[in-house]
Amino acid sequence: VADSTVKGAICQLWSRRRYRGDMRDNCNLTSWYVDLDEGRGLGVKMLRAAVSDDSAVYATHSPEPRTIKVFLRIGFQFIDTTEWIVPNLPGLGRGGFIETQDIDAHLSGDALANYRTHADMPGVGHVGLTEFCHIAFVRSRWRRVPVARIVYANDYGLLQRRLPTFARIALTRFGFPLTAVEKRRHPARPRLAIAERAKEPILYRGTGVEPDQIDSLYTEVVNFAPSLRG
């Protein structure tokens, strides 16, 4: 703030998450604004101040293309979030489904905490597949068609094996004709996948944190997602 006027702002969304057994502060950066009349150096100065805690894990899930180089210059890493678009068909993926109110009975530890934190958020849908896998998703679109976009699973290996089951449930229980899942979570092209969609990359920085540990559960994608019931 200068002369009672906001010259720049960065929004931080904080949470506590576990990374390979260590509980860490997690900060998602969003809404980075700078008054260009203040000079080009202000934005970088603000960003450095916003990520000054070396013990925290930082991420930005929707960076503007012109800001990516700035993040990379101060130590952030790049995660490709390209997605598969999969049709949801009623006859595929028959299998067990757990009612939403019973999901927490099948989870423990961090997986249970992740579910309970988001269970009542109107913009987040939840599916529990027997064996057991909790999947969280939000509403998205592909060429104006509604999409169930998976943002989290507590067991991505099981998700790969049971994606057709989730797709069937997303159609029959929630009315989504399509599912989107990141290629890094499902490397092999899913059966009947109709497209690859390039999404904004995730940029993150955190000592000792691997790219596969960064997901979209505690981000603006979830906190400000449109209601599934809207």
Side-chain angles (χ1 to χ4, degrees):
V1 178
D3 298 327
S4 300
T5 302
V6 174
K7 300 296 183 178
I10 296 180
C11 179
Q12 298 174 308
L13 304 174
W14 287 92
S15 60
R16 290 281 288 173
R17 303 200 67 180
R18 191 177 302 279
Y19 295 93
R20 298 287 192 265
D22 295 329
M23 188 64 74
R24 307 270 293 274
D25 288 327
N26 185 87
C27 178
N28 288 289
L29 301 166
T30 182
S31 302
W32 182 15
Y33 160 79
V34 176
D35 184 343
L36 296 180
D37 291 338
E38 292 298 306
R40 299 182 62 179
L42 176 61
V44 176
K45 182 179 180 180
M46 289 182 58
L47 181 59
R48 289 187 183 278
V51 299
S52 58
D53 184 353
D54 291 336
S55 66
V57 179
Y58 296 95
T60 178
H61 291 249
S62 54
E64 292 288 337
R66 65 180 180 273
T67 67
I68 290 177
K69 290 183 178 180
V70 179
F71 280 102
L72 295 177
R73 192 163 68 240
I74 63 172
F76 278 68
Q77 299 182 57
F78 177 94
I79 300 176
D80 184 2
T81 56
T82 300
E83 295 175 325
W84 299 115
I85 303 298
V86 183
N88 299 337
L89 303 177
L92 295 181
R94 299 185 183 279
F97 167 75
I98 302 298
E99 293 292 343
T100 303
Q101 63 268 24
D102 298 326
I103 289 178
D104 61 357
H106 298 264
L107 300 172
S108 61
D110 295 326
L112 177 59
N114 287 339
Y115 169 68
R116 286 181 172 173
T117 300
H118 299 84
D120 295 327
M121 288 186 175
V124 188
H126 301 275
V127 167
L129 302 181
T130 52
E131 287 183 79
F132 181 81
C133 184
H134 164 226
I135 301 170
F137 64 96
V138 297
R139 178 184 295 274
S140 184
R141 287 189 176 275
W142 180 73
R143 297 183 179 178
R144 299 185 180 181
V145 179
V147 174
R149 180 170 177 256
I150 296 173
V151 295
Y152 167 83
N154 73 304
D155 187 335
Y156 287 106
L158 182 55
L159 171 64
Q160 292 182 42
R161 299 193 299 273
R162 299 294 298 276
L163 182 63
T165 301
F166 171 82
R168 174 180 60 82
I169 294 168
L171 174 67
T172 59
R173 299 296 294 259
F174 297 94
F176 286 96
L178 299 173
T179 288
V181 59
E182 291 181 359
K183 290 179 66 176
R184 66 186 177 118
R185 305 304 190 187
H186 201 299
R189 189 183 188 94
R191 181 184 177 189
L192 304 178
I194 58 178
E196 296 179 38
R197 173 168 66 169
K199 294 288 290 181
E200 298 90 349
I202 294 174
L203 300 175
Y204 86 99
R205 192 183 81 181
T207 302
V209 176
E210 300 296 326
D212 68 310
Q213 296 176 271
I214 304 296
D215 57 50
S216 297
L217 188 61
Y218 283 78
T219 69
E220 71 274 15
V221 173
V222 166
N223 290 318
F224 303 111
S227 173
L228 295 176
R229 294 182 282 276

